[in-house]
């Protein structure tokens, strides 16, 4: 999973507190704005590493216009391999991930480091974020503060039910990243959820920053658009996690596990219904039956049996 470092472009730096890892693929359009938000951080003791995952556009030229940024080019291997490759070069105590089109509040890293140091038994910190363009100006021009407001998620259960942490909002200890051997490069989808669950199995407490510190840019054609494939992969990730971490199953309890599986199976059912795949929807609905309220599952099954014209009429009336 992790790879040995190779020579990279960019000036040598003292040992930093935070290593910022930015995977990039054909990111010319937005990566300049992303890097500008990183350079503007109030925490200066950082290193910034961009891993160009085989881009064919002008990504390299844009990145290399930032003298303090370390640029690594590698053959295309996917986002997990790119992140792992970047961490293999990282020297920081903490690792902060950032997608090549997202934007940070200037005080993000400083607040996260302060909060993480207040809780040495936590290996993961995440922040609030927005996908609303109207929030972007306020995030970019945000002011530094002397404190680091946050709350704690002390147990694994809430994260198991809702592990969809935007990677650009996440900071982890490098030692924890190395303990779980980084991202699984065999996964095309749900690699982030797989990583979070494996990391939290060893140290479940999460530090959750309460201020809005990240802007997540909506991008068409992202993997998140393929919801059916995503839910199928998530189910496999959950199955493997529970099989490999029997202690986590005991800690979570069957109620929490059932809630998570019920959500995944019903969400997959709905995805099939929206795509007009009624037979597949019914098959998925049956899998949801043992995990939660059956009335809602029956409602989904009945919906799958309706003629398309009637479903469209009902949908129009309920909008």
């Amino acid at each position: 999973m992790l790879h040995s470092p190779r020579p990279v472009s960019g000036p040598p730096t003292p040992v930093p507190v935070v290593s910022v890892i930015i995977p990039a693929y054909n990111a010319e359009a937005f990566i300049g704005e992303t890097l500008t938000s990183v350079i503007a951080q109030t925490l200066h003791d950082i290193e910034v590493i961009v891993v160009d995952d085989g881009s064919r556009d002008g990504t390299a030229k844009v990145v290399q216009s930032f003298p303090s940024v370390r640029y690594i080019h590698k053959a295309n291997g996917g986002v997990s391999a790119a992140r792992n490759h970047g961490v293999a070069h990282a020297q920081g105590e903490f690792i902060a991930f950032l997608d090549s089109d997202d934007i940070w509040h200037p005080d993000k890293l400083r607040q996260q480091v302060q909060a993480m140091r207040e809780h040495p038994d936590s290996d993961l910190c995440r922040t609030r974020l927005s996908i609303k363009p109207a929030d972007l100006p306020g995030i970019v021009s945000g002011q530094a503060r002397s404190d680091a407001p946050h709350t704690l998620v002390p147990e694994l259960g809430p994260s198991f039910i809702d592990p969809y942490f935007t990677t650009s909002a996440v900071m982890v200890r490098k030692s924890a990243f190395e303990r779980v051997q980084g991202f699984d490069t065999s996964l095309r989808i749900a690699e982030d959820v797989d990583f979070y669950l494996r990391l939290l199995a060893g140290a479940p407490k999460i530090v959750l920053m309460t201020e809005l510190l990240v802007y997540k840019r909506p991008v068409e054609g992202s993997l998140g658009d393929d919801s059916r494939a995503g839910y199928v992969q998530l189910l496999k990730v959950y199955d493997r996690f529970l099989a490999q971490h029997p202690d986590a199953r005991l800690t979570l309890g069957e109620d929490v596990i059932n809630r998570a599986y019920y959500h995944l199976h019903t969400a997959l059912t709905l995805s099939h219904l929206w795509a007009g795949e009624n037979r597949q929807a019914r098959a998925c609905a049956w899998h949801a039956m043992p995990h939660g309220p059956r009335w809602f599952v029956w409602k989904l099954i009945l919906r799958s049996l309706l003629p398309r014209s009637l479903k469209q009429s009902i949908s129009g009336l309920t909008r």
Side-chain angles (χ1 to χ4, degrees):
M1 296 216 188
L2 300 179
H3 303 281
S4 299
R6 295 165 54 190
V8 297
S9 62
T13 60
V15 177
V17 174
V18 179
S19 296
V20 180
I21 307 299
I22 306 175
Y25 178 71
N26 291 344
E28 176 184 16
F30 298 117
I31 196 166
E33 188 178 355
T34 296
L35 288 171
T36 298
S37 78
V38 179
I39 301 303
Q41 290 295 300
T42 57
L43 179 69
H44 300 299
D45 194 5
I46 67 175
E47 65 173 349
V48 186
I49 300 174
V50 173
V51 181
D52 186 340
D53 194 35
S55 294
R56 298 180 180 180
D57 64 355
T59 296
K61 183 177 180 180
V62 176
V63 175
Q64 290 173 331
S65 70
F66 291 82
S68 63
V69 174
R70 301 173 68 193
Y71 172 81
I72 308 172
H73 184 275
K74 64 180 290 293
N76 182 263
V79 67
S80 293
R83 288 180 181 135
N84 288 349
H85 199 71
V87 175
H89 289 274
Q91 303 177 69
E93 176 186 357
F94 300 99
I95 303 294
F97 300 105
L98 178 58
D99 288 348
S100 61
D101 46 17
D102 295 344
I103 305 295
W104 280 350
H105 184 291
D107 208 35
K108 173 189 180 289
L109 294 181
R110 187 207 61 78
Q111 289 191 35
Q112 285 188 291
V113 168
Q114 180 175 331
M116 288 285 277
R117 286 183 167 165
E118 291 177 17
H119 302 280
D121 56 340
S122 174
D123 287 334
L124 188 150
C125 173
R126 64 187 183 98
T127 77
R128 292 182 58 222
L129 61 90
S130 176
I131 60 172
K132 299 177 182 178
D135 289 331
L136 178 57
I139 291 173
V140 172
S141 61
Q143 300 299 306
R145 52 191 302 161
S146 59
D147 58 351
H150 63 274
T151 60
L152 298 176
V153 182
E155 298 176 349
L156 182 58
S159 300
F160 187 81
I161 293 170
D162 184 15
Y164 311 110
F165 316 151
T166 296
T167 314
S168 295
V170 168
M171 174 183 287
V172 300
R173 298 185 195 277
K174 186 184 180 187
S175 58
F177 185 94
E178 293 173 336
R179 185 186 74 238
V180 301
Q181 298 185 300
F183 291 90
D184 184 343
T185 56
S186 71
L187 299 178
R188 187 180 69 88
I189 305 174
E191 78 290 335
D192 50 351
V193 172
D194 171 76
F195 170 72
Y196 301 142
L197 290 178
R198 288 186 289 111
L199 188 143
L200 293 171
K205 180 190 287 187
I206 289 179
V207 177
L208 177 60
M209 310 307 297
T210 55
E211 192 171 4
L212 191 64
L213 299 176
V214 176
Y215 173 68
K216 175 69 178 174
R217 192 186 305 274
V219 178
E220 289 186 19
S222 68
L223 290 178
D225 292 338
D226 189 359
S227 61
R228 283 162 290 165
Y231 288 124
V232 169
Q233 186 62 65
L234 280 166
L235 285 164
K236 293 178 180 178
V237 164
Y238 271 63
D239 288 345
R240 185 175 70 171
F241 173 75
L242 292 173
Q244 294 179 348
H245 298 84
D247 290 346
R249 176 180 283 278
L250 293 174
T251 300
L252 290 166
E254 291 304 313
D255 180 62
V256 168
I257 293 171
N258 279 327
R259 286 173 63 189
Y261 274 86
Y262 185 77
H263 165 72
L264 290 172
H265 284 299
T266 54
L268 179 55
T269 301
L270 284 166
S271 294
H272 282 301
L273 286 173
W274 290 329
E277 298 169 348
N278 293 330
R279 182 176 57 82
Q280 294 92 325
R282 287 192 293 275
C284 293
W286 286 117
H287 287 294
M289 281 284 189
H291 300 291
R294 295 189 174 189
W295 67 266
F296 183 66
V297 178
W298 281 115
K299 182 178 178 180
L300 296 179
I301 292 173
L302 289 173
R303 181 175 168 183
S304 75
L305 296 170
L306 295 175
R308 180 183 291 271
S309 59
L310 183 56
K311 281 194 290 186
Q312 290 174 341
S313 300
I314 293 172
S315 178
L317 290 172
T318 57
R319 285 177 183 170

